[in-house]
Amino acid sequence: MDILTFMQQMVNGFSLGSMYALIAIGYTMVYGVLRLINFAHGDIMMVGAFLAYTFMAVFNLPFPLTVLLAVTLSAALGMLMDKIAYKPLREAPKISLLITAIGISFFLENAFTVFVGGVPRAFPVPSYMEQIFTVANVTFSVSSITVPLVTLILLLGILYVLYKTKYGMAIRALSFDIKTVNLMGIDANMIISLVFALGSALAAVGGIFWAVNYPSVEPMMGVLVGLKAFAAAVVGGIGSVTGAVLGGFIIGFTEVVVIAFFPEMGGYKDAFAFVFLILVLLFKPTGIMGEDLEKSRF
Amino acid sequence: MSKKILGLSVATLLSCSSLLSAKEIKIGAVMPMSGPLAAYGQVTDLGVKLAHKLQPKLKNGDTIKIVLLDNKGDKVETANATTRLISSDKVVAILGALTSSNTAQTIAIADKKEIPVIAAVATGDKLTAKREFANRVCFSNAFQGEVVANYAISKGYKTAVVVVDQAQVYSLGLAKAFQKKFKSKGGKILKKIKITSGDKDFKAVVSQIKQINPDFMFLPLYHPEASMIARQSKQLGLDKPMFSGDGVANQTFIDLGGNAVEGYMFTDFFDYSNPPSKTSADFVAFHTKETGEKEMNSFTALGADTYNVLIAAMNRCEDPTNSICINKEIKKTTNFDGVSGKITIDKDGNATRSAVIKEIKNGKAVFKAIVNP
């Protein structure tokens, strides 16, 4: 493989990996505070993409406003989901929460199938996002640059919130012990809501980017992406935000590299992504950035 | 005693009347009229209905009645409908049931009861294998693959990359047929890249193809994946002729692909704007008269042909209700002047027929060429 193709594949890997990263952050944060793998998270991404689709295709709103509305509404949906499905189960065994999460996931997928049908719809990508430029024979589209950029900015934003603000301190405290935090005069439920809102907002951003890069939206689009983002979160070290981003890039690059080096095996790229997951679980169960589960969070 | 006499006389009357006047013969049809495949089922059924309207009677004066059952696109419903048609409606033949997997259900049941089936659009390669009573008027996937290979060679393309969906039998069958023919005619397959349906990101695949730099790309995929590959190819500056089978022969493909699918080519069965014969042109005109629509779906043409082939076979039988004779005659169909073109059905029940090549221009699939086998 020549250097140009290699560079091209790196660009591809970056753009794909950052979308996984955006969604993985939500998994990792919810897991951090509730020890819950929120399997409905991938479907929040789908809802975000569909909201953006509706605002653009039906109401003809400009793209930036669309993103803002879709992200806000998805954050609200995340909070609502917590309120309806997870809050009543705070004291219940973790397995009940997990089953509820899977239930919510099926509910969202099927509700959307009923309302919008299973046929994929074309996402109206704004033309400036599709613009292409070539640097030394490596082709970029605007979106393949903006996606990793936005991911990094959002990562820094999340880290800022976690480490520099009062709310961040509350979130980190919550991840150690919910009951004690309640005694300290912090409204734990409010903080958990905040975590869901942040995670869902990022998932919506991921979903919109997904729809911009691969311009079709359909109710099942979040399933596989969600699973891979989950794998990314575990590979990076579930509970660690930086780890989630790193894991996202690792999974993205794995997929790209498999195709670049073994085109015949390309159909198994998903399997390769999950092989990574298994290897990490075997040799470093806490993930790359994850430290001792009892000591550190985020 | 009197009852017996009455019964006898009624029986005599009935048998006499059947000799004198024409009787009614029932034909079964199983199609998805509701559910996810309803759009396919309804246009195919329209073809059957129009053909029946044009030719409601056999040569000997017997009238044909079509019993249509909705399988909702579901395998179990298909099996139930088929059983009902055979056991309670006593049909002499069955038309349907569209997709290959549903048609396989119908064939499995009908074959045991020795009732002939004619499929309109089921292209699965092995569908008719080892089934005495299975027939179809569409080509099989293997043939589609060969058509594309022949086209590529005729255009002077020497090297090709094949992107195959390893999760779809349709895709694997098409790819295999293409490769075999392309190689036998001197072409070279530079690479076969496997994908899985449901994937959205093909940038790595596209970058890979760009590096391999083939003359021609064969993408035996369904529309969701094919449209994404076309789009991302455009994004990454890969500009090679792309070709698919009938899996992309629908409007959704063009909607999803946007202007990236301009120039994209695919094989289809029929094109209403280019009817291959007078029969065909007349039918298109009749379709316009009956429905008010100018455009006619290729599935409508094939639906009409299942009916027409069946009626022709029945006309050749001394007893048009004899299913075994009907089946034999269907398999003797040669150079049949069908709505969708000339159809020849071999002893395995497979059709040899022409294919149509279409190209997407200005967001519309337009006719490019007819390819004869």
Side-chain angles (χ1 to χ4, degrees):
Chain A
M1 188 185 343
D2 60 278
I3 187 79
L4 284 179
T5 314
F6 178 76
M7 291 302 291
Q8 181 73 64
Q9 296 290 25
M10 289 297 107
V11 171
N12 300 340
F14 251 115
S15 137
L16 180 64
S18 42
M19 279 181 283
Y20 291 145
L22 279 173
I23 301 159
I25 293 175
Y27 272 110
T28 230
M29 285 181 71
V30 168
Y31 184 84
V33 293
L34 286 184
R35 301 288 183 283
L36 159 70
I37 295 159
N38 181 16
F39 274 116
H41 195 64
D43 300 296
I44 297 275
M45 169 226 158
M46 175 271 292
V47 174
F50 256 105
L51 287 171
Y53 167 81
T54 315
F55 290 129
M56 287 192 78
V58 183
F59 298 113
N60 272 322
L61 298 181
F63 186 63
L65 185 62
T66 299
V67 174
L68 197 70
L69 281 173
V71 169
T72 318
L73 284 176
S74 304
L77 177 72
M79 289 162 81
L80 185 72
M81 189 167 74
D82 171 52
K83 201 136 229 124
I84 295 175
Y86 303 139
K87 198 177 152 205
L89 295 170
R90 288 274 197 269
E91 304 297 321
K94 293 284 172 261
I95 190 81
S96 315
L97 272 171
L98 190 71
I99 292 165
T100 311
I102 294 170
I104 297 281
S105 163
F106 283 168
F107 169 76
L108 285 174
E109 285 159 18
N110 289 300
F112 269 77
T113 311
V114 169
F115 289 122
V116 300
V119 182
R121 285 151 191 256
F123 188 83
V125 185
S127 53
Y128 55 85
M129 291 295 274
E130 281 201 313
Q131 247 163 37
I132 295 156
F133 51 95
T134 308
V135 181
N137 253 345
V138 180
T139 318
F140 300 85
S141 64
V142 171
S143 58
S144 65
I145 302 292
T146 39
V147 178
L149 211 64
V150 170
T151 306
L152 290 178
I153 293 170
L154 288 175
L155 170 68
L156 292 177
I158 288 285
L159 288 176
Y160 178 82
V161 170
L162 280 177
Y163 288 100
K164 300 283 175 191
T165 65
K166 225 168 59 182
Y167 289 107
M169 194 188 276
I171 293 174
R172 283 182 293 140
L174 207 66
S175 70
F176 279 100
D177 193 334
I178 295 186
K179 282 195 186 112
T180 317
V181 162
N182 264 326
L183 295 175
M184 303 287 200
I186 298 171
D187 184 352
N189 282 327
M190 194 270 275
I191 299 296
I192 292 171
S193 264
L194 177 71
V195 168
F196 269 95
L198 280 175
S200 303
L202 291 180
V205 174
I208 295 168
F209 277 149
W210 193 265
V212 166
N213 268 315
Y214 319 114
S216 77
V217 283
E218 42 108 7
M220 297 294 166
M221 65 187 277
V223 179
L224 194 58
V225 190
L227 274 180
K228 282 190 199 156
F230 165 64
V234 175
V235 167
I238 193 148
S240 157
V241 174
T242 330
V245 174
L246 190 69
F249 281 123
I250 292 177
I251 300 282
F253 276 113
T254 310
E255 283 187 17
V256 166
V257 165
V258 167
I259 295 169
F261 289 102
F262 320 101
E264 289 85 359
M265 304 287 278
Y268 304 103
K269 72 186 170 84
D270 297 349
F272 276 90
F274 293 113
V275 163
F276 238 107
L277 175 68
I278 292 166
L279 288 179
V280 167
L281 287 177
L282 277 177
F283 296 108
K284 195 167 187 312
T286 51
I288 295 169
M289 299 288 283
E291 286 165 37
D292 185 359
L293 279 175
E294 288 316 307
K295 273 187 190 158
S296 97
R297 292 283 155 238
F298 302 114
Chain B
M1 187 65 187
S2 62
K3 261 187 191 167
K4 211 172 184 180
I5 291 167
L6 192 72
L8 263 173
S9 54
V10 168
T12 325
L13 260 172
L14 275 176
S15 56
C16 283
S17 71
S18 73
L19 279 176
L20 294 173
S21 72
K23 54 188 183 301
E24 187 182 77
I25 303 176
K26 282 182 186 168
I27 292 175
V30 186
M31 314 243 172
M33 302 304 287
S34 62
L37 303 172
Y40 292 161
Q42 285 169 0
V43 287
T44 313
D45 176 57
L46 175 67
V48 176
K49 289 227 163 73
L50 291 178
H52 177 247
K53 213 164 185 175
L54 284 172
Q55 201 181 348
K57 282 187 181 165
L58 290 182
K59 219 168 48 187
N60 64 6
D62 291 352
T63 49
I64 301 289
K65 185 175 181 238
I66 301 171
V67 185
L68 169 70
L69 293 184
D70 179 10
N71 67 7
K72 305 185 178 80
D74 180 74
K75 278 187 198 170
V76 179
E77 297 273 355
T78 308
N80 291 342
T82 308
T83 311
R84 205 196 105 182
L85 285 174
I86 296 170
S87 56
S88 90
D89 291 310
K90 311 277 181 218
V91 298
V92 297
I94 295 175
L95 309 178
L98 255 41
T99 56
S100 294
S101 50
N102 283 344
T103 308
Q105 299 291 322
T106 297
I107 288 172
I109 295 165
D111 200 56
K112 282 196 198 103
K113 305 275 184 185
E114 302 189 322
I115 299 291
V117 175
I118 308 181
V121 293
T123 55
D125 279 329
K126 290 189 177 146
L127 199 65
T128 53
K130 293 186 186 146
R131 299 285 191 190
E132 180 63 31
F133 287 82
N135 311 282
R136 60 178 146 200
V137 293
C138 57
F139 46 63
S140 64
N141 289 334
F143 172 69
Q144 268 194 92
E146 287 177 14
V147 165
V148 181
N150 286 334
Y151 173 84
I153 291 291
S154 76
K155 285 279 164 188
Y157 302 135
K158 296 257 170 352
T159 56
V161 163
V162 181
V163 180
V164 61
D165 182 345
Q166 60 174 12
Q168 303 289 350
V169 180
Y170 164 78
S171 184
L172 292 166
L174 226 61
K176 203 171 151 194
F178 171 81
Q179 280 173 292
K180 205 171 148 202
K181 194 79 183 177
F182 193 66
K183 275 188 210 154
S184 77
K185 293 219 159 185
K188 199 173 166 216
I189 309 285
L190 296 180
K191 211 85 178 182
K192 184 169 152 191
I193 299 178
K194 285 184 182 166
I195 63 154
T196 309
S197 30
D199 279 356
K200 291 274 159 36
D201 184 277
F202 298 108
K203 284 196 183 135
V205 171
V206 169
S207 305
Q208 191 65 27
I209 298 173
K210 206 176 157 187
Q211 193 209 358
I212 298 167
N213 195 25
D215 295 341
F216 183 78
M217 284 165 72
F218 183 47
L219 312 163
L221 310 167
Y222 288 118
H223 57 268
E225 289 78 32
S227 59
M228 288 300 129
I229 292 185
R231 265 200 118 111
Q232 289 163 36
S233 295
K234 201 179 171 214
Q235 277 188 10
L236 295 179
L238 171 68
D239 186 22
K240 297 283 171 195
M242 292 185 210
F243 215 120
S244 284
D246 64 329
V248 304
N250 53 53
Q251 188 57 38
T252 313
F253 175 67
I254 299 172
D255 292 344
L256 291 178
N259 59 4
V261 296
E262 283 295 308
Y264 201 107
M265 283 176 285
F266 59 90
T267 45
D268 202 350
F269 304 101
F270 172 77
D271 184 73
Y272 74 94
S273 64
N274 247 298
S277 65
K278 190 175 172 300
T279 316
S280 188
D282 288 351
F283 189 86
V284 174
F286 182 65
H287 173 271
T288 310
K289 200 184 111 205
E290 291 287 309
T291 62
E293 299 275 338
K294 224 178 127 287
E295 295 179 19
M296 189 175 100
N297 195 288
S298 54
F299 282 30
T300 306
L302 287 156
D305 281 342
T306 55
Y307 181 84
N308 290 341
V309 164
L310 176 63
I311 297 304
M314 288 168 83
N315 275 335
R316 291 198 294 267
C317 283
E318 201 166 314
D319 173 12
T321 56
N322 179 349
S323 290
I324 293 167
C325 169
I326 296 173
N327 191 48
K328 249 185 218 144
E329 289 300 329
I330 293 171
K331 288 186 196 307
K332 283 185 197 159
T333 304
T334 26
N335 264 330
F336 182 80
D337 184 20
V339 173
S340 66
K342 288 257 185 292
I343 300 168
T344 298
I345 296 177
D346 63 18
K347 61 179 186 353
D348 297 324
N350 288 322
T352 313
R353 51 162 302 135
S354 59
V356 165
I357 292 177
K358 290 181 182 171
E359 182 179 357
I360 295 170
K361 271 190 186 144
N362 300 322
K364 280 250 176 269
V366 296
F367 174 83
K368 204 170 155 75
I370 285 189
V371 184
N372 292 311

